[in-house]
Every structure is written in C-alpha cells, then in structure tokens.
C-alpha cells in the first residue's frame, strides 16, 4: 500500500489545494484511482445545495470492506489490523490480523444473512469497545446493511427513539460492557428499549461481562452460537470468505444520530464511496500515516471519530488501529501512557477534555513512561485552550511531535480543517488550514462574507462551506427536508456548520464554538432543547431552560434553570436528584446538568420567548453585561435569578 496522494510539503499542500478548488472532478478522480472499484464512476460530482443533492462517483460500484480488508490480504494478511487493549490492563491483549479480520467479517456477514438481514436493512449496534464491534460494523457493510451504532452511554429511551426513527429490525449487542470499575448492563438496557416494540426481529448478544441477562426465545440469539454456525456453513460451501455485496457509490453506508438545536436527534446519513475516499484521504494526510505506524484513536466507535479514525480511515489505508476498551483514568491516570509504551504507539488522537483531565493529575503519572515511539499527536471534538495544547506538546510530545488540531463534525464524515502533521504549520488552539477540497467562508447574520477585521486584525463570523467535499452528509434519515433546513437553508448555497470562527492574516481558522443551541460537553454534542425536554419529563417541573457555561475540564458544563411546582417540592437536594435521574433515564448520564437552579420565573420577551442570552450571561457569571432587560415581560425575574445563582 502506498499513498501517492499524501501531501509531503507546504508547497505540495498549496498546489493540491489549488487544484482541488479549480478542478475538483479531476482532483478527486485522481485520488479515487487508488481504491478498489467493482466498476468505475460515470461522473465524479453532481451537486446543488438547494435541494440539497450531492453525488460523488456516481455510477461506480464498490464494497468498502474490500477496500478495508480484502485488498490488503496479499501484502499484509498477517499484519495487525486491530490491536485491542482491554479495560483491565491485566487481561489479554488481542491482535487481529487482516486475515483474521477477513474471516470474522465474513462470518458476521453470513450470520446476518442467516438471520434474515438484507441489503438496505437497518441494524442497530449497541456494544462496548471490543473487536466484535468492529466486526459487526464491517459485517453489515459487507452485505450492504446500514449500521447505526448507538453509544453505550445512551439510555433505553434514546435507543427506542433511534430504533423507531431508523426503522431498525435487528440489534447486535453485548451482555455488558466494562468501563473503568463499572459494568454497563447493555442487554438489560436493550430489553427496556424493546418494551412494547414489535418491529425488532432479532437481537444478537455477544458475551463480554457475564452479567446475568434474560434471553427472549425466538428473538434473542447468542453471537457465539451464530458465529460458529456461520463458520460451519462457510466451510461447508468451501468459501474462504463471504462475497462482498456490490454497492452503488451513493448507497447509504451508515446512519449516526447526533444532536441538533431541536429536541430530537437526527440520523446523519453517509454513503459508501465518498465517505471511504474522504476518511482515507484525511487519515493519510492529517496524521501523515506511514505504513507500519500504530495509530491510537481514543474515541468510542459510538461517535463519528471512532467510525472514521478507528475503523474506516485506518483500515482502508491498511493501517494498524489500536482500539481501547477502557477510560483514561482507570485504574489510574497513567493508563494512556502505559498503552503508548506497551504498544509503541506512533500516533495518538484524543480529545481536549481528556488532556485537561489528565493535566489535573500533574506529571507524576508520566514518570518513567517511555513515550519515545510517539510521532504525531492529534486533538478533536472541541476547541483546545492554549494551556492544554502546550501541556500536550511539551509533556507528551516532548516538543518533538507535531500536534494536529482537527476540526470536523459528524456531518462532515472526516476532518475539514487542520494542520497536516509536520507538513503545514501549527498554531496553538488554531485548526489552521482547510483540507484540499474544503472551501470555508465566514459570513455575518445575513450571509454576507465578512471582510472587516476586528481590532486584533481578525475576521470573525459564522463558519460555512461553499462546495461539497466527498465526505459531506447526504441526508438526515427519513427526513430530507430536515437536512435542508438544518444545514442548507440558513444561508443560500452554503453548508452552515453551526460553529463560529476567526480567520487570521495567514488564512488560518480558529473555531470558537457553537453559535446555535448545541452544547459541547466533554466533546459530546448535546442539544439544549433535548436536555430541557428530558427535565420537563419530571412531573414536578413546570418549565426549564438550559444553557452552557465554561467548565475547566469538560469545556462546557450544563446549567439548568428550573421552575418547579411548589407542592411537589420537598427539598432542593431531593428534587435535584430526581431531575438528574430523569435526565439519565431519558437521554443518558452524559446529559446530566452540572448545575440546577430553581427559579420562580424565566426571562421572557412579551411574546413569550425565553431570552437565553441573558441566562447564558448569568451562567457565565458575566453579570455586568446582561444588556437591556427592560423589554422583558417581567424584568424582576432577572434579579431573582442573579440573586440565587449557583
Ligand atoms: C462539533 C462537532 C468531529 C468529531 C467529534 C465531534 C466541535 C470538533 C473541533 C476542533 C473546535 C471542534 C465543533 C463541531 N469541534 N472538533 N478541533 N476545534 N471545535 O463531532 O459531535 O459532530 O461535534 O464539535 O463545535 O461543530 P460532533
């Protein structure tokens, strides 16, 4: 495997960037030549942002798993595709070679077919971070079933909503998952999600934790039995592998739910060819991957980062991807550094929130750890503050490893703005330059490109992208209009990211955070409306308003202002606990408010709209800049809220 499209110098970056903008069809056709196609495309790109309609490599036929597995077998069959580090450091490491991966994915494909799964069917995957999760994802892709991975921290209610929205008929799960010193009872959560459900036909359960579970006869099956049977069948037919389904370039590959500014998460849809090319291209370029390097992305496959940079990007590049089941601070805060030393990790890709939390333990956990294998460090998920950037650079990279700050989104499939490790310049807390094919633009509220610099010489605006790159989302599942209004209707002919950004004199971008009602808590995306809906499910709550506030480790914390019915309220502590439990039950523990303030009223305009700007200022402790409150329906509520601030 070689990567002729890997950018090796700043000059080459500028050259490729210019070519990608001047002639995107030619540029991406050249990149796409490096993949395995069953049939080449008829046209490279058809698009308009009005409908929106985006088609890349239209007419082409392929299967992404042949690109991620089969094509590497001859040269690298015995090389590790996945190295798995278990939650408990004393447990056995598993090394999955490309040959073994090929066999397991074939078995999963056969197992799915045996259980009635067809091309286009939706399969919900709710598992911990074990190699079987990767097999499940790729097994779906092998037969053209659409996977929808749900992060193991989501509640039964969240799963039920997603199953319904996706019209899923099949689930793959585990008895439980290990997370630090906790066991998450995944199958029990699935059972709760399936109360009253009539559409799920089969639930396949892998044994990981030996947590006691119940199995519903006729519906629930053991992964181990099904996989053994599949193996027997493949052998009996004399097949060494399960033939990969021929997919259209624009057939959906997966759905991944993500939060927006409304109460209901949307199912972002990515398709086969464009997503494959984009994750591979960005993986090889941002991290400057060299064959043989060990790439350790600490994300969970339940999020887009894991899809793109644990599974599809690395495997399509024939890389070795390290998959970690545990958490950064268990059994102690040396966990990441032990893994780096043990597996001689070359590329470490993690989130600012993890860096900040590890910073809090000081330098002791680093003592005696050999981090000399590291070549490249990466961050993703939220803005990284300069202090954390320098700590990462100095103490982990020892000043020798380029740090790439990769900005992107679930909707973008892969990285859009980043420096390329050691190739283009880094600037602490700046994502810097766009990838080839990405045309960012900063606009004001009216959609006009900003061109007036502020006092520090920077342009400031809402971040949009002018034209499609291969990894852009194609639709939101079952509701194309929602895709249009969410991303393509705010500004005409632009994809709107929901982020605000700055641009300096070098053309570098710094992403400052969301400008919509979306929070980023420890790199997890949560809609304020979603949290409000969950809080309002508590029978004692009259109304609530949720905003973000700066949090030292999480980046943003969740601040809830809640009006409670007098007679339901025994004491603050108990009601608070009840509300937290309600949010955990409706969404999951990741959405629990950090602060809950009980208030008598919320600041509203005369037309009844909640003035979140004021609440945000109060939560951020910027009491001197509350602005004009005289137009409020009842200005006195502001004093009451400020008086009771937590
Ligand atoms: C939002 C997307 C991208 C995979 C993980 C999160 C924020 C992401 C950065 C960065 C500043 C960042 C943005 C974006 N974000 N990366 N390097 N610098 N902000 O995916 O859940 O879809 O969230 O995360 O606000 O819109 P996601």
């Amino acid at each position: 495997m070689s990567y002729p499209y890997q950018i090796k110098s700043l000059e080459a970056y500028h050259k490729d960037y210019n070519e990608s903008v001047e002639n995107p069809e030619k540029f991406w056709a050249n990149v796409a030549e490096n993949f395995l196609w069953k049939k080449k495309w008829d046209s490279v790109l058809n698009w308009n942002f009005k409908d929106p309609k985006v088609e890349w490599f239209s007419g082409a036929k392929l299967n992404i798993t042949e690109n991620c597995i089969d094509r590497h077998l001859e040269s690298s069959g015995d090389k590790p595709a996945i190295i798995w580090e278990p939650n408990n450091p004393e447990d056995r490491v598993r090394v999955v070679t490309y040959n073994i991966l090929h066999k397991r994915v074939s078995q999963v494909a056969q197992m799915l077919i045996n259980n009635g799964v067809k091309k286009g069917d939706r399969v919900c995957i709710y598992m911990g971070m074990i190699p079987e999760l990767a097999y499940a994802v790729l097994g779906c892709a092998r037969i053209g079933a659409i996977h929808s991975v749900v992060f193991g921290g989501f509640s039964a209610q969240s799963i039920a909503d997603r199953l319904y929205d996706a019209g899923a008929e099949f689930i793959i799960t585990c008895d439980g998952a290990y997370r630090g010193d906790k066991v998450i009872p995944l199958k029990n959560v699935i059972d709760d999600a399936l109360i009253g459900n009539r559409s799920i036909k089969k639930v396949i359960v892998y044994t990981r934790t030996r947590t006691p579970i119940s199995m519903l006869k006729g519906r629930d099956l053991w992964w181990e039995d099904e996989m053994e049977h599949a193996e027997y069948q493949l052998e009996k037919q004399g097949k060494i592998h399960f033939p990969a389904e021929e997919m259209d370039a624009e057939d959906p590959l997966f759905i991944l739910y993500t939060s927006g500014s409304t109460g209901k998460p949307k199912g972002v849809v990515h398709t086969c060819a464009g997503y494959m090319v984009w994750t591979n291209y960005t993986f090889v370029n941002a991290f400057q991957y060299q064959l043989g390097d060990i790439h350790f992305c600490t994300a969970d496959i339940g999020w887009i980062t894991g899809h793109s940079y644990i599974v599809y990007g690395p495997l399509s590049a024939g890389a070795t991807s390290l998959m970690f089941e545990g958490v950064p601070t268990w059994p102690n805060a040396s966990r990441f550094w032990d893994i780096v030393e043990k597996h001689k990790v070359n590329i470490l890709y993690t989130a600012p929130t993890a860096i900040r939390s590890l910073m809090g333990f000081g330098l002791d956990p680093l003592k005696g750890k050999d981090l000399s294998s590291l070549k490249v460090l990466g961050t993703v998920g939220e803005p990284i503050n300069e202090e954390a950037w320098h700590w990462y650079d100095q103490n982990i990279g020892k000043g020798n490893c380029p740090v790439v700050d990769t900005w992107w989104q679930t909707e973008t499939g892969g990285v859009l703005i980043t420096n390329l490790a050691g190739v283009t310049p880094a600037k602490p807390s700046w994502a810097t330059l766009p990838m080839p094919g990405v045309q960012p633009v900063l606009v004001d509220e009216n959609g006009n490109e900003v061109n007036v610099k502020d006092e520090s010489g920077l342009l400031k605006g809402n971040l949009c992208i002018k034209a499609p790159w291969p990894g852009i989302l194609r639709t939101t599942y079952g509701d194309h209009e929602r895709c249009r209004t969410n991303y393509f209707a705010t500004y005409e002919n632009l994809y709107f990211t929901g982020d605000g950004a700055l641009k300096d004199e070098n053309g570098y971008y710094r992403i400052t955070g969301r400008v919509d009602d979306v929070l980023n808590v420890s790199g997890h995306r949560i809609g304020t409306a979603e949290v409000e809906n969950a809080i309002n499910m508590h029978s004692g709550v009259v109304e609530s308003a949720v905003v973000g506030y700066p949090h030292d480790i999480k980046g943003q914390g969740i601040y809830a202002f809640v009006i409670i019915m007098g007679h339901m309220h025994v004491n603050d502590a108990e009601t608070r606990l009840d509300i937290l439990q309600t949010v955990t039950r409706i969404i999951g523990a990741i959405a629990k408010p950090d602060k809950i303030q009980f208030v008598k009223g919320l600041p509203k305009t005369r037309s009844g709209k909640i003035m979140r700007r004021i609440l945000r200022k109060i939560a951020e402790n910027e009491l001197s800049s509350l602005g004009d409150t005289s137009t409020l329906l009842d200005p006195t509520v502001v004093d009451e809220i400020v008086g009771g601030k937590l």
Side-chain angles (χ1 to χ4, degrees):
M1 189 97 228
S2 67
Y3 317 114
Y5 45 90
Q6 192 170 51
I7 300 164
K8 298 277 174 52
S9 67
L10 186 57
E11 299 69 53
Y13 164 77
H14 287 301
K15 181 170 162 286
D16 283 9
Y17 186 82
N18 291 337
E19 278 179 23
S20 76
V21 171
E22 276 152 28
N23 194 342
E25 305 212 9
K26 182 162 165 247
F27 184 84
W28 291 108
N30 274 335
V31 174
E33 288 295 341
N34 296 284
F35 294 79
L36 189 65
W37 303 91
K38 290 177 187 279
K39 174 183 172 285
K40 293 264 173 78
W41 48 92
D42 301 321
S43 61
V44 179
L45 173 62
N46 300 303
W47 70 286
N48 73 68
F49 275 174
K50 208 162 159 295
D51 294 340
K53 179 183 102 167
V54 178
E55 290 174 357
W56 281 95
F57 311 110
S58 180
K61 306 278 187 193
L62 76 157
N63 188 291
I64 196 168
T65 69
E66 289 187 325
N67 284 274
C68 288
I69 309 171
D70 303 51
R71 68 165 168 160
H72 309 310
L73 295 179
E74 208 180 291
S75 63
S76 322
D78 291 326
K79 301 250 169 68
I82 296 171
I83 297 175
W84 178 73
E85 172 69 27
N87 179 64
N88 184 337
E90 272 100 55
D91 286 350
R92 187 172 60 93
V93 166
R94 288 166 65 186
V95 177
V96 181
T97 63
Y98 274 97
N99 280 328
I100 299 176
L101 183 63
H102 188 231
K103 181 162 181 202
R104 295 285 172 260
V105 170
S106 286
Q107 279 172 265
V108 173
Q110 179 72 54
M111 164 173 87
L112 293 172
I113 295 287
N114 289 346
N115 284 290
V117 184
K118 299 181 305 297
K119 177 177 182 172
D121 287 350
R122 275 78 59 215
V123 178
C124 170
I125 302 178
Y126 186 67
M127 300 173 90
M129 282 288 286
I130 51 177
E132 285 70 18
L133 167 53
Y135 306 162
V137 162
L138 293 164
C140 287
R142 189 80 176 176
I143 66 166
I146 302 168
H147 58 77
S148 176
V149 184
V150 176
F151 173 62
F154 279 114
S155 69
Q157 185 61 51
S158 295
I159 299 167
D161 293 345
R162 285 160 174 75
L163 290 173
Y164 176 77
D165 189 85
E169 291 175 328
F170 305 93
I171 297 176
I172 306 177
T173 188
C174 299
D175 53 351
Y178 292 119
R179 252 184 97 74
D181 58 0
K182 290 198 206 60
V183 175
I184 319 286
L186 297 178
K187 175 60 163 67
N188 294 340
V189 179
I190 289 288
D191 288 343
D192 286 348
L194 293 185
I195 293 171
N197 178 297
R198 287 156 179 273
S199 48
I200 294 296
K201 296 180 179 152
K202 292 282 159 64
V203 180
I204 298 174
V205 186
Y206 177 80
T207 311
R208 172 65 188 126
T209 55
R210 305 198 176 270
T211 304
I213 59 172
S214 52
M215 296 288 279
L216 190 68
K217 204 167 169 202
R219 187 194 68 183
D220 300 353
L221 304 160
W222 293 107
W223 166 288
E224 292 79 3
D225 295 347
E226 296 300 304
M227 285 287 274
E228 200 180 295
H229 182 57
E231 183 176 26
Y232 168 75
Q233 280 173 304
L234 287 169
E235 271 170 16
K236 201 176 64 181
Q237 298 165 44
K239 280 189 196 158
I240 43 164
H241 73 147
F242 191 93
E245 182 73 27
E246 185 169 289
M247 304 294 287
D248 276 334
E250 285 297 337
D251 277 339
L253 173 64
F254 66 84
I255 305 170
L256 187 58
Y257 284 87
T258 191
S259 295
S261 41
T262 67
K264 191 174 161 259
K266 2 174 223 258
V268 169
V269 175
H270 285 288
T271 57
C272 296
Y275 176 80
M276 171 181 77
V277 170
W278 190 245
T279 52
N280 178 292
Y281 182 84
T282 53
F283 171 72
V284 162
N285 280 301
F287 305 109
Q288 290 291 302
Y289 185 83
Q290 305 298 317
L291 213 57
D293 282 353
I294 313 271
H295 172 77
F296 176 19
C297 167
T298 71
D300 191 292
I301 295 179
W303 308 107
I304 191 71
T305 309
H307 282 61
S308 301
Y309 299 111
I310 296 177
V311 182
Y312 289 113
L315 297 181
S316 69
T320 299
S321 183
L322 194 145
M323 187 174 171
F324 173 42
E325 184 185 32
V327 295
T329 49
W330 190 87
N332 56 55
S334 297
R335 194 66 172 107
F336 276 2
W337 323 128
D338 286 332
I339 294 174
V340 169
E341 178 173 313
K342 178 168 166 190
H343 298 287
K344 300 207 173 7
V345 168
N346 305 110
I347 304 168
L348 175 66
Y349 190 31
T350 194
T353 189
I355 298 169
R356 287 192 299 262
S357 120
L358 292 171
M359 261 170 84
F361 291 87
L363 296 178
D364 274 0
L366 283 158
K367 278 215 182 96
K369 308 293 171 192
D370 180 6
L371 305 183
S372 60
S373 57
L374 287 173
K375 298 200 289 190
V376 173
L377 302 176
T379 75
V380 60
E382 40 172 331
I384 182 161
N385 47 314
E386 288 197 36
E387 196 192 353
W389 195 100
H390 287 296
W391 189 88
Y392 197 35
D393 176 45
Q394 287 307 312
N395 298 299
I396 309 307
K398 317 286 181 200
N400 285 323
C401 302
V403 177
V404 293
D405 176 355
T406 65
W407 171 83
W408 57 296
Q409 310 178 297
T410 303
E411 294 85 346
T412 70
V415 177
L416 292 202
I417 303 182
T418 185
N419 51 315
L420 310 180
V423 170
T424 65
K427 179 173 175 180
S429 87
W430 288 67
T432 73
L433 295 169
M435 277 283 171
V438 176
Q439 300 181 53
V441 51
L442 298 182
V443 302
D444 63 20
E445 279 97 87
N446 305 315
N448 299 317
E449 191 161 344
V450 294
N451 47 31
V452 183
K453 293 183 177 153
D454 67 8
E455 58 284 3
S456 21
L458 302 172
L459 293 170
K460 181 176 183 209
N462 291 343
L463 179 61
C464 294
I465 316 285
K466 275 186 207 169
W469 59 97
I472 190 174
L473 88 161
R474 301 302 196 264
T475 189
T476 46
Y477 192 78
D479 193 350
H480 194 61
E481 177 58 13
R482 194 164 176 213
C483 175
R484 191 187 69 81
T485 50
N486 250 289
Y487 306 105
F488 300 93
T490 316
Y491 307 112
E492 210 178 321
N493 284 322
L494 295 175
Y495 165 81
F496 177 41
T497 65
D499 280 317
L502 303 170
K503 185 178 179 181
D504 74 4
E505 70 283 0
N506 297 315
Y508 294 178
Y509 290 88
R510 175 184 193 151
I511 287 63
T512 48
R514 304 288 306 197
V515 295
D516 51 8
D517 291 320
V518 172
L519 305 179
N520 192 327
V521 180
S522 301
H524 297 155
R525 211 161 127 177
I526 300 164
T528 53
E530 240 180 298
V531 183
E532 287 165 7
N533 286 351
I535 293 174
N536 298 349
M537 297 296 280
H538 182 287
S539 56
V541 170
V542 181
E543 198 178 7
S544 64
V546 165
V547 296
Y549 71 95
H551 186 288
D552 283 349
I553 289 173
K554 298 179 174 186
Q556 267 189 314
I558 304 179
Y559 197 126
F561 299 89
V562 179
I563 307 176
I564 198 98
M565 270 181 247
H567 63 279
M568 301 286 290
H569 189 53
V570 182
N571 66 56
D572 282 9
E574 243 171 63
T575 307
R576 233 178 234 124
L577 214 61
D578 286 347
I579 291 175
L580 292 178
Q581 259 164 22
T582 307
V583 173
T584 306
R585 190 167 49 80
I586 302 294
I587 305 176
I590 53 171
K592 278 199 295 197
D594 298 274
K595 294 182 179 179
I596 299 175
Q597 180 182 346
F598 297 111
V599 296
K600 295 214 170 61
L602 292 166
K604 289 189 178 171
T605 60
R606 296 215 170 93
S607 60
K609 205 171 146 277
I610 297 175
M611 293 286 284
R612 285 161 191 291
R613 186 180 50 77
I614 294 178
L615 293 174
R616 228 174 276 133
K617 292 281 178 209
I618 295 175
E620 287 168 2
N621 227 347
E622 291 191 16
L623 303 178
S624 56
S625 53
L626 290 184
D628 184 13
T629 55
S630 64
T631 58
L632 292 176
L633 192 63
D634 177 6
T636 63
V637 296
V638 175
D639 298 329
E640 191 249 340
I641 297 174
V642 170
K645 191 186 171 310
L646 299 174

